[in-house]
Amino acid sequence: MGPGSLVTPDTDRKRKAEQLEWMECPVCLETPRAGPIYSCRKGHVICRECQPQVTQCPTCRDRHTDCRSLIAEKLLSRLLQDTPVSCKYRGSGCVFEDLVVVLGEHETSCMFRAVKCPASHRGACSWVGPLNKLIQHVIQQKCAQVVKSKPPQSFVSTIGDFALDQTVFSKNTPTHWKPVMLISQDALKFFCYAIFYRDAQGHWFSYVRSFAPPAITSNLRVEIRIRRSGNTEAEDGFLYNGHVSSSEATEADILESGNYLLLRDDQVRKFRSDKTIMEYSIALRQVEAASPPVV
């Protein structure tokens, strides 16, 4: 065998990378990470996520796109055993690569992963973008209130009312205030934000969500204290001390979990002063992860 035919590690990696590119789905432009892989009658591949969504091959317009490509599946399985692939958020700027079996752990906490604006829950903003652009987005678009911490790591601000003759207490429709981004050197890694709203029946809900991955969010605890503005007496007010919810949890999930402070109009009304309905203070802390049981 001549020296020109030797396969070096670099050429082997290049060959495997090219083979992975052969299986790139033309719909989502991603390389599948697991089978089944489908194809049209001419052999153009389509990943399992996109195949149910198409009525014809996006490459050649063949209407038969339900053929299993067993050869592609076997090749993919073999290549993914020892060939690093890119993070699925590379289009947003991530340059991380690793084997598929461990890449998922990175992607759950990737700073380039796509998130929704905190104001999406009230229909006020439809922005979806990388997590590392979130703070910049809410500051520029003013779709969330930004509150910075005060020593010792607490966030303090107020909830305002409408004009005296249009007080929220007389409304029979839900009222959502802007979400509150909690900004501090420590809190930045949690990407937490607070939600305050009053429903049509006069019930007030206060809770905190986090964009952090589940492993971190599950170890976050929050203290929410509601009181009259300027009154720092600990016994004057209402307190929630408990878990933080995921940014991906639905409203139904949060209500079912009980991770919120619930008040009624008659409890909140006593805090009202002019156009300020109440003051809130929020404190975040991270607890130690629970140790696995000893068997």
Side-chain angles (χ1 to χ4, degrees), residues 158-159 161 169 204 225-231 233-239 261 263-280:
T158 58
I159 296 293
D161 201 355
F169 294 103
W204 295 70
R225 188 178 297 276
I226 304 296
R227 61 196 176 206
R228 182 186 294 274
S229 179
N231 192 336
E233 294 295 328
E235 65 273 10
D236 180 32
F238 298 98
L239 177 68
L261 176 62
L263 300 174
R264 301 189 308 271
D265 269 351
D266 53 351
Q267 294 173 299
V268 177
R269 190 181 285 109
K270 68 178 184 178
F271 297 140
R272 190 178 189 276
S273 176
D274 296 326
K275 292 184 179 181
T276 300
I277 297 176
M278 61 187 181
E279 180 179 279
Y280 62 83

Side-chain angles (χ1 to χ4, degrees), residues 142-188:
K142 297 181 172 56
C143 46
Q145 181 186 3
V146 174
V147 175
K148 298 182 178 180
S149 67
K150 298 180 178 180
Q153 290 300 308
S154 63
F155 305 87
V156 181
S157 191
T158 58
I159 296 293
D161 201 355
F162 305 107
L164 290 175
D165 57 344
Q166 295 178 336
T167 177
V168 69
F169 294 103
S170 64
K171 293 187 64 176
N172 57 6
T173 55
T175 300
H176 291 264
W177 283 265
K178 284 184 177 183
V180 181
M181 292 296 306
L182 306 175
I183 304 297
S184 73
Q185 186 171 358
D186 288 334
L188 271 177

Side-chain angles (χ1 to χ4, degrees), residues 8 22 26 28 44 52 59 84 98 129-130 135 146 160 189 191 216 221 224-226 229 261 264 277 288:
T8 66
W22 297 344
C28 63
H44 301 123
T59 304
D98 210 330
I135 303 300
V146 174
K189 61 179 177 285
F191 285 93
I216 294 179
R221 299 295 182 268
I224 305 174
R225 188 178 297 276
I226 304 296
S229 179
L261 176 62
R264 301 189 308 271
I277 297 176
E288 293 291 333

